[in-house]
Amino acid sequence: MSNANSNDLSFVRTEILPERTPPTSAIGVVGWMRANLFSGWFNTLLTLLAILVIYSILSVILPWLISPTWGAQSLDECREIIASTFGPNVDKACWGVINDRWIQLLFGFYPSELYWRPILAFILLWAALAPVLFAEGTPRQFLLVTALYPFVMPWLLWGGTIWTPLAILAGFAIAYGIVRLGASMIGTLSAIILSVVVALIWWLLVAGPLAGQLQSIIPLALTEVTSRDFGGMMLSIVIGVVAIGFSLPIGIILALGRKSNLLIVKALCVGFIEFIRGVPLITLLFVASVLLNIFLPPGTSFDIILRVIIMATIFASAYVAEVIRGGLAALPTGQYEAADALGLDYWRAQRLIIMPQALKISIPGIVSTFIGLFKDTTLVSIIGLLDPLGLSNAIRADTDWNGIVWELYGFIALMFFVFCFSMSRYSMYLERKLQTENR
Amino acid sequence: MKKSLFWGALTAAGLAAGMSSAATLDDVKARGTLNCGVTTGLVGFAAPNANGRWEGFDVAVCRAVAAAVLGDENAIEFVPTTGKTRFTALASGEIDMLARNTTWTFSRDVDLGFEFAGINYYDGQGFMVPKELGVTSAKELNGATVCIQTGTTTELNLADWFRKNNMEYEPVPIETNAEAQQQYLARACDVYTTDSSGLAATRATFEDPTAHVILPEIISKEPLGPLVRHGDNQWGDVVRWTLNALIAAEEFGITSANVEELASEPTDSPEINRMLGTEGDLGEMLGLDKDWAVRAIAAGGNYGEIFARHIGESTPVGLARGLNAQWTEGGLLYAPPFR
């Protein structure tokens, strides 16, 4: 247009200039570095200092880490390899110990021909968790796996007859049936009480002999593995996963109980939470390992891992309960009033209005409690269970590997980091996914 | 006895059978496995190998007892115990015997209600120092910093000994042997003190063991041995005489190699015959069969063989027999007669 009439003087540019590439100092690596690392003399100084610190750390650690000792059979052999390759007085890692013992650090003393069982249990764990963790995108059929997993996992890990978990499962089915049928006949509360009583009688008196009978008719059993064979990372994961799985629902119930208007329920929950939180976990573990042995009649075989799991679960539940109470307290009263105004009864209000919001608020706290619990599982080494840390001590007691410290701790730290970091990342993903307001 | 997790959970609330644990021997036979308490790991004395099989000097005692009672040296459930849990584990019946380098003391024997079945290792507390310090006697350690494990008898022995000799020291408290090694090598302390067997094992792991000396002074008596509960004398006898059989076997020259041959027919030594069951009925008196000692010796060899294999001079631990030689060779090992 401007060319059409050259007399038309315009003071503004009428055509758009062609896009030009930004100056090289503003894009790419250079641009990123200018913006993030060297934007001003102070930041430049900090960057240089940080590089110096990182370099001085890595220059010590990396040469130590890179060490051709993977195939060594003992610490002495490691030292020979290092001395012959790098000359005397060179400090390097001895990775032979990891090569020799990594399977033990993962599985403990679990029979090697049965490793498929914990591995399968671990894979099924993800299948069972999928509908809970990644709610959308998972077929609903996976919920069945989730429901059955608590029965399948102990069977896979400890072995024994399949009729035992099935008999236990039947107890739940019976209880459910009584509630469904009895609710109309004798009222909901009586039906629930009756179902609990019947289920307890079933489990204590009927299920055991029944499982034995069925086993003698149709033998379907896996080789039994005793709890003393559990060890290493597997032990930590078993204790951690079971305690995490049970402490969340128990924690929710405790938190609700603590906010309840019913005096006795409230007193019980407050007492439980405050008592458990007032006692160090290590004390509970000692009670599990030592005191219970003295109180229970001699000859009672009350599985040591089960004792530890129970203690870890009640410990974590108390903390989770307080975290969730924090979430409940953060909800505006209007939410409760709105639920009441809609005519929802207590449980519906909790399920549809209160809990989804309270739990969302509590996610970071809950997950950090879980991470703490998972790391606390290493405390069981104090009562003589061979978790990774306990095993590291046992491995050092082998004359071949006596004197090795950092390699073992480093490997164990790496394993724990993988799990804890994934949990942490997952919690952040969950928070982002559930972020529904203020966007 | 079928151990099931589920029934454990559901019945533990108090329905358990109040079974008396007086007859440990019968329990062990009925169970088919021996529950033996060991350490969670101590060089040369007890440690699991890469296949999870427990090995060591203390473990060998467990294996001998299992072989004598059950005829299978592998019919053992090893229960790792810590210094804090070992006595309750034994007292509560979780384990049948404890072979965990435990010092025989008056109060443990009398007050805690245990029965020491004998002594399988005579230990004592010693000192290790770097050679370059030029110290040749523990009496020259005035003013030294000492790495010491807290909560052990070694801590009390050290205080007693330094006070007796009018010397001062600065303790560096540490928790485990591994920590002690690191602290000592990093020169956080001049001296490391613990049982001399432990010192030898620790020194053997150093890059240059010759740069460190173990001082000649032994400042305490640490007789280590297997123990059982008070009040079950039959079981105590089984453990005691199994240990004695291992010690006597060395004295008589019975080894794992020749025990089968010696037991096949009576020899011209009546005591060997009585021990190996070709004469008399010592096994029946114990509540076992006549081959009990044969199996115990065949499991891991006699005392000397066990010593040489796990902690002797040819191993990295490299302990000399010293006090643990037979009485005929100037040591303290003296098995009562098999008669």
Side-chain angles (χ1 to χ4, degrees):
Chain A
M1 248 168 73
S2 60
N3 294 340
N5 189 353
S6 58
N7 296 331
D8 183 12
L9 290 172
S10 66
F11 293 93
V12 287
R13 192 189 294 280
T14 51
E15 77 275 23
I16 293 170
L17 281 178
E19 272 184 26
R20 273 193 258 162
T21 49
T24 45
S25 60
I27 54 157
V29 179
V30 178
W32 183 87
M33 282 179 29
R34 276 175 69 108
N36 291 296
L37 297 178
F38 303 105
S39 58
W41 68 269
F42 184 66
N43 286 346
T44 308
L45 191 69
L46 283 184
T47 303
L48 290 178
L49 266 178
I51 290 174
L52 195 68
V53 169
I54 292 172
Y55 172 78
S56 59
I57 293 174
L58 286 185
S59 66
V60 174
I61 290 180
L62 276 184
W64 182 83
L65 281 176
I66 299 165
S67 168
T69 46
W70 185 249
Q73 293 298 312
S74 71
L75 181 57
D76 289 337
E77 205 180 317
C78 276
R79 283 174 178 155
E80 276 167 30
I81 293 173
I82 292 165
S84 65
T85 323
F86 301 99
N89 295 324
V90 178
D91 196 19
K92 292 216 171 251
C94 177
W95 296 117
V97 65
I98 306 298
N99 185 21
D100 192 34
R101 297 296 182 112
W102 69 273
I103 292 182
Q104 196 170 57
L105 280 169
L106 285 183
F107 291 102
F109 304 132
Y110 210 83
S112 54
E113 69 274 13
L114 302 177
Y115 280 164
W116 63 271
R117 275 160 48 178
I119 293 171
L120 181 63
F122 190 67
I123 294 170
L124 283 178
L125 171 67
W126 293 107
L129 284 179
V132 186
L133 295 187
F134 315 99
E136 70 258 11
T138 325
R140 283 189 70 83
Q141 289 83 341
F142 271 66
L143 271 174
L144 193 67
V145 181
T146 312
L148 290 180
Y149 190 73
F151 303 95
V152 173
M153 188 203 75
W155 182 60
L156 274 177
L157 291 182
W158 276 273
T161 166
I162 193 173
W163 299 111
T164 307
L166 287 182
I168 307 242
L169 192 59
F172 283 105
I174 290 170
Y176 179 73
I178 291 176
V179 171
R180 284 301 293 270
L181 289 178
S184 52
M185 285 185 262
I186 49 175
T188 317
L189 188 64
S190 331
I192 289 175
I193 293 173
L194 181 70
S195 71
V196 169
V197 171
V198 171
L200 280 179
I201 291 174
W202 170 268
W203 285 324
L204 290 178
L205 301 179
V206 185
L210 180 73
Q213 283 293 322
L214 285 169
Q215 169 65 16
S216 59
I217 299 168
I218 313 169
L220 269 178
L222 288 175
T223 322
E224 278 196 42
V225 180
T226 63
S227 288
R228 285 287 169 194
D229 289 336
F230 283 48
M233 210 56 202
M234 186 188 136
L235 178 67
S236 286
I237 293 175
V238 168
I239 297 175
V241 164
V242 178
I244 286 172
F246 281 101
S247 63
L248 185 59
I250 297 176
I252 292 175
I253 291 169
L254 283 174
L256 289 178
R258 190 164 186 167
K259 298 206 75 164
S260 164
N261 295 325
L262 307 170
L263 182 67
I264 297 176
V265 171
K266 184 175 179 170
L268 280 178
C269 289
V270 170
F272 179 87
I273 292 171
E274 293 305 331
F275 175 73
I276 296 295
R277 289 205 312 160
V279 181
L281 178 58
I282 198 80
T283 316
L284 292 177
L285 290 178
F286 270 118
V287 168
S289 124
V290 173
L291 280 182
L292 276 182
N293 269 341
I294 293 173
F295 290 149
L296 291 175
T300 320
S301 65
F302 190 9
D303 195 277
I304 177 79
I305 294 185
L306 189 65
R307 281 183 271 169
V308 168
I309 286 176
I310 291 174
M311 288 302 176
T313 305
I314 61 175
F315 187 77
S317 325
Y319 279 85
V320 170
E322 284 301 278
V323 170
I324 292 175
R325 192 170 68 93
L328 290 173
L331 278 192
T333 326
Q335 299 290 334
Y336 294 89
E337 286 165 355
D340 289 343
L342 285 172
L344 298 176
D345 66 10
Y346 179 78
W347 292 109
R348 284 217 179 88
Q350 294 299 337
R351 189 161 58 83
L352 299 172
I353 309 252
I354 309 298
M355 269 305 147
Q357 299 182 68
L359 285 180
K360 193 182 80 186
I361 298 171
S362 326
I363 286 171
I366 293 175
V367 174
S368 78
T369 307
F370 286 166
I371 290 176
L373 171 69
F374 186 60
K375 289 189 293 183
D376 281 349
T377 58
T378 52
L379 286 177
V380 299
S381 62
I382 292 173
I383 56 167
L385 285 177
L386 293 178
D387 79 304
L389 281 189
L391 264 178
S392 80
N393 186 38
I395 290 169
R396 260 195 303 276
D398 188 331
T399 45
D400 285 346
W401 304 117
N402 190 7
I404 285 185
V405 179
W406 301 111
E407 294 85 343
L408 285 169
Y409 282 142
F411 183 69
I412 294 164
L414 183 70
M415 291 196 292
F416 271 97
F417 180 78
V418 167
F419 281 96
C420 295
F421 188 65
S422 337
M423 277 196 255
S424 159
R425 298 307 296 187
Y426 172 72
S427 107
M428 290 166 81
Y429 152 83
L430 204 57
E431 275 169 60
R432 273 197 308 277
K433 198 179 85 173
L434 298 179
Q435 185 108 50
T436 47
E437 75 266 353
N438 305 332
R439 270 203 291 210
Chain B
M1 203 164 79
K2 213 176 196 176
K3 195 156 69 172
S4 163
L5 189 72
F6 301 115
W7 310 133
L10 296 171
T11 57
L15 291 172
M19 189 168 63
S20 164
S21 66
T24 311
L25 181 60
D26 297 336
D27 288 355
V28 171
K29 281 179 174 170
R31 197 190 308 133
T33 55
L34 172 73
N35 292 337
C36 193
V38 292
T39 77
T40 48
L42 181 68
V43 179
F45 286 85
N49 69 10
N51 301 321
R53 183 185 157 90
W54 284 84
E55 282 170 351
F57 188 70
D58 280 335
V59 170
V61 176
C62 298
R63 293 204 183 275
V65 172
V69 174
L70 301 166
D72 179 4
E73 56 160 332
N74 294 317
I76 305 182
E77 177 133 18
F78 286 103
V79 179
T81 57
T82 66
K84 295 182 182 75
T85 61
R86 56 181 164 182
F87 294 128
T88 32
L90 181 60
S92 66
E94 191 182 351
I95 55 179
D96 303 313
M97 61 179 284
L98 179 68
R100 190 199 178 277
N101 71 323
T102 303
T103 307
W104 187 348
T105 66
F106 180 93
S107 57
R108 283 171 184 176
D109 196 338
V110 177
D111 190 35
L112 291 184
F114 297 126
E115 203 70 47
F116 280 81
I119 294 166
N120 68 337
Y121 191 82
Y122 290 91
D123 214 336
Q125 187 177 344
F127 299 98
M128 178 164 63
V129 292
K131 192 173 261 174
E132 65 189 46
L133 287 185
V135 177
T136 54
S137 160
K139 298 246 164 94
E140 299 165 20
L141 289 177
N142 199 2
T145 49
V146 183
C147 275
I148 178 131
Q149 287 188 37
T150 51
T152 60
T153 50
T154 52
E155 197 177 14
L156 307 172
N157 295 335
L158 183 78
D160 286 356
W161 193 80
F162 269 79
R163 200 180 58 198
K164 202 170 71 187
N165 289 291
N166 283 321
M167 301 200 302
E168 302 258 315
Y169 71 100
E170 196 185 322
V172 178
I174 43 117
E175 196 60 42
T176 65
N177 191 46
E179 190 189 342
Q181 290 180 14
Q182 296 289 312
Q183 296 280 17
Y184 174 77
L185 286 177
R187 289 298 163 82
C189 50
D190 307 321
V191 189
Y192 177 36
T193 179
T194 186
D195 288 352
S196 53
S197 62
L199 286 182
T202 303
R203 191 176 67 157
T205 68
F206 290 168
E207 200 140 13
D208 181 13
T210 55
H212 304 271
V213 286
I214 293 174
L215 300 176
E217 281 86 355
I218 299 293
I219 64 166
S220 72
K221 289 185 286 188
E222 308 280 347
L224 313 176
L227 55 156
V228 297
R229 277 181 296 279
H230 240 329
D232 185 358
N233 296 4
Q234 188 194 18
W235 176 246
D237 287 343
V238 169
V239 178
R240 172 177 301 115
W241 285 95
T242 305
L243 178 61
N244 282 338
L246 297 180
I247 294 172
E250 189 192 13
E251 189 185 340
F252 301 148
I254 307 170
T255 65
S256 55
N258 68 8
V259 64
E260 296 293 342
E261 185 193 329
L262 290 172
S264 58
E265 54 184 330
T267 62
D268 46 10
S269 161
E271 191 159 9
I272 291 180
N273 294 348
R274 282 193 294 274
M275 196 167 98
L276 298 185
T278 50
E279 203 179 299
D281 54 355
L282 294 187
E284 279 171 37
M285 293 180 200
L286 268 182
L288 304 172
D289 60 0
K290 67 183 179 63
D291 284 334
W292 66 280
V294 179
R295 290 193 303 266
I297 297 164
N302 63 33
Y303 182 90
E305 289 176 81
I306 294 171
F307 194 101
R309 186 164 60 248
H310 296 297
I311 53 178
E313 277 169 328
S314 61
T315 66
V317 184
L319 292 172
R321 286 297 288 269
L323 287 178
N324 297 292
Q326 293 286 335
W327 64 285
T328 48
E329 290 161 22
L332 291 176
L333 292 184
Y334 186 97
F338 280 77
R339 179 171 292 284

